[in-house]
Amino acid sequence: MKIGLICGQEINELINDSEEIIVETNYGNTLINFKKLENNDVFFINRHGENKKIPPHNINYRANIQALKSCNIENIISIFTVGSMKKTILTGDFVIPNDFIDFTKSRCLTYFENDRVHIDMNNPFCPSLRKLLIESCKIVDDKKIHNRGVYLTTEGPRLETSSEINLFSNYADIVGMTLVPEIILAREQNMCYAALCVVSNMAAGLQNELKTDEISKTFIDKKPVIINLIKKSIKNMENKKKCKCNKK
Ligand code: HPA
């Protein structure tokens, strides 16, 4: 099967010896690292671009998703670092979100600029792909896996104030800057999409000052587990149950 993998941090261990492909789209070019992994064809994109420097509000989300679509990919697993807004979700935990809230402000959110198309968002994450991720996560201590959660996307690039987190935490569990519009565009392309969120910190007000390095440090610490989870999910992909994501 062909699987799309999107990440904002480096996981060179997964893409070592991969083939680099530049995919041209209507929105610009996207660099994809292609590799056979666990008997599947894996297409990897770093959402922050080739040099990994593009900030969340400037990511070319439309090119990234269209590039995967044009490679005939049906399933996307996307990896995120997030802040936790709940005392029950701790740094180093994993969350497989089931819903999201969009608090972005200035992004291109759609492929349908000139069409009156309204995509249903009752199940933004593919239930079958989520289930597969959750099953794969069983190799990790149960207390550290949260099988549900609401991901609130902020515009960034600044972090939130503690009053914002206080407000958001009434409605969502984790906060990050990059799920939207990636997930919306994947839905518009009728692709199955699920997210593996790595909690890199407690959100503003729940811990002292947050430094950018801290976000990548947790990811690096958790990398062996993340790689294991992803490999297991890719290996199990053939067991994925049917879903309705591909129906228009
Ligand atoms: N806020 C927003 N985005 C993030 C955070 C956070 O606390 N941690 C990682 N990405």
Side-chain angles (χ1 to χ4, degrees), residues 81-84 154 159-160 175-177 200-204 210 215:
T81 48
V82 294
S84 166
T154 57
L159 289 159
E160 304 71 38
V175 59
M177 301 177 195
S200 56
N201 58 281
M202 299 307 286
L210 173 64
I215 296 178

Side-chain angles (χ1 to χ4, degrees), residues 32-92:
I32 292 189
N33 287 85
F34 168 77
K35 184 172 174 175
K36 276 229 172 273
L37 204 64
E38 307 290 351
N39 280 329
N40 285 296
D41 291 340
V42 177
F43 296 73
F44 177 88
I45 293 178
N46 187 309
R47 66 170 69 84
H48 294 285
E50 206 173 331
N51 300 322
K52 297 144 190 112
K53 291 213 162 130
I54 307 171
H57 58 288
N58 282 335
I59 290 172
N60 197 342
Y61 296 97
R62 291 195 292 188
N64 290 349
I65 295 296
Q66 199 182 67
L68 293 178
K69 182 73 181 179
S70 69
C71 293
N72 294 320
I73 285 155
E74 288 174 9
N75 294 288
I76 301 176
I77 298 176
S78 204
I79 307 171
F80 298 91
T81 48
V82 294
S84 166
M85 298 193 281
K86 293 286 159 72
K87 289 188 176 143
T88 49
I89 304 177
L90 300 174
T91 300

Side-chain angles (χ1 to χ4, degrees), residues 111-112 141 150 165 231:
Y111 288 112
F112 300 109
D141 177 3
V150 178
I165 294 297
K231 278 193 177 160

Side-chain angles (χ1 to χ4, degrees), residues 156-194:
R158 69 164 176 89
L159 289 159
E160 304 71 38
T161 65
S162 42
S163 297
E164 284 170 334
I165 294 297
N166 207 5
L167 171 79
F168 297 159
S169 66
N170 286 307
Y171 307 99
D173 305 295
I174 49 178
V175 59
M177 301 177 195
T178 46
L179 177 71
V180 173
E182 200 175 89
I183 186 168
I184 300 174
L185 299 167
R187 285 302 317 121
E188 286 189 350
Q189 297 286 353
N190 304 307
M191 298 163 95
C192 297
Y193 183 100

